[in-house]
Amino acid sequence: TSKLSLKSDFASVVAKLVENNLLGVFALVYDEFWALHFQYEEIFKHFLADGYKMLPAIWVWHLDPAKKEFGWEPHRDRDYTALDKDGKPKFLTLWLPITDADPNNGCIYVVPAQHDRVYGSPQDTNINFEFNGVRALPAKVGDAFIWNHAIFHWGGRANDYATHPRMSIAFEFMRGDVTPDKDKIYEPLQVMPFEERLSLIAKQIIQYTHMYDFDE
């Protein structure tokens, strides 16, 4: 197991992977990357209750300004059924920057619920929101963003004014009383064996092929 003691080390590992033509998500072979979400346990217990689970949905981004790369297209992680009738979330995403993120290197953009005319409704596939309600979410290393799966959001495009790539990592979680729509879910605070972790990483590449148009 490598020893990654400094926050900047996380970025250097992802950068080294990309330099060697590997996807950043392979950084999750390291325990330190895998354990980044552990410190948010109490927040997830508050919103998802005890017994919450981790979904097999993880990713690591590296947006290269020289290539004008951008984050994922505008989307909701799930539709309105990701919320209870009272609006409480069944699912949450944790997004962590491992380099500072801003509009120049492709930070996250979000449509707050109050500006999303179809948020939480069966019509949420018909995108209809107030354009002047969109918010950019600049972030520093050490910040954390958590959103429910009905929120409409996307990653921006890096440009020539960026001083460094935007690198970030995301994990997804669900309430323990929700019937999972995945073949396997995980206990959130476990560090799974290397072979199982590598298999999960490979599954993510297949799962998110549509986001990148990977060659078969």
Side-chain angles (χ1 to χ4, degrees):
T1 302
S2 67
K3 301 299 181 183
L4 305 178
S5 57
L6 301 175
K7 290 177 180 176
S8 60
D9 287 338
F10 290 93
S12 66
V13 170
V14 174
K16 181 62 69 174
L17 287 167
V18 172
E19 287 172 11
N20 286 277
N21 297 313
L22 289 169
L23 293 168
V25 71
F26 281 102
L28 283 156
V29 299
Y30 296 108
D31 292 352
E32 291 85 353
F33 279 83
W34 194 256
L36 278 171
H37 64 85
F38 287 9
Q39 62 185 308
Y40 302 98
E41 176 189 13
E42 293 304 316
I43 296 176
F44 289 114
K45 283 184 176 179
H46 174 78
F47 288 103
L48 301 177
D50 289 340
Y52 74 94
K53 305 297 181 184
M54 181 177 176
L55 289 163
I58 53 178
W59 199 251
V60 178
W61 288 264
H62 177 287
L63 305 187
D64 185 350
K67 298 179 180 178
K68 305 295 191 299
E69 290 181 333
F70 52 91
W72 287 359
E73 298 283 359
H75 68 284
R76 305 181 197 275
D77 293 333
R78 280 180 171 75
D79 64 13
Y80 70 99
T81 59
L83 305 172
D84 276 335
K85 291 182 178 179
D86 60 3
K88 291 181 179 179
K90 301 176 185 177
F91 302 88
L92 292 174
T93 292
L94 169 67
W95 188 92
L96 303 171
I98 54 178
T99 60
D100 292 350
D102 58 49
N104 286 326
N105 68 359
C107 68
I108 294 293
Y109 289 80
V110 63
V111 181
Q114 67 270 26
H115 299 298
D116 186 343
R117 299 185 182 97
V118 293
Y119 170 81
S121 76
Q123 290 75 45
D124 64 4
T125 55
N126 301 318
I127 305 307
N128 186 349
F129 60 84
E130 301 170 21
F131 284 90
N132 56 9
V134 172
R135 296 292 183 266
L137 301 182
K140 297 292 186 182
V141 174
D143 290 343
F145 292 136
I146 299 175
W147 57 75
N148 73 59
H149 282 197
I151 289 288
F152 195 62
H153 63 283
W154 60 92
R157 183 186 291 275
N159 62 42
D160 291 334
Y161 297 102
T163 59
H164 57 272
R166 188 264 271 178
M167 305 184 206
S168 56
I169 184 170
F171 304 88
E172 294 185 8
F173 303 89
M174 60 176 281
R175 271 196 344 229
D177 64 345
V178 173
T179 301
D181 57 1
K182 304 289 186 181
D183 293 338
K184 188 172 184 179
I185 56 176
Y186 300 91
E187 294 301 322
L189 301 184
Q190 74 167 4
V191 177
M192 65 179 64
F194 175 82
E195 291 79 8
E196 185 176 2
R197 203 180 317 175
L198 191 60
S199 175
L200 177 59
I201 290 169
K203 289 178 181 177
Q204 302 314 291
I205 296 171
I206 295 172
Q207 177 170 275
Y208 296 129
T209 291
H210 64 287
M211 294 294 192
Y212 292 96
D213 194 26
F214 292 139
D215 186 282
E216 289 187 7

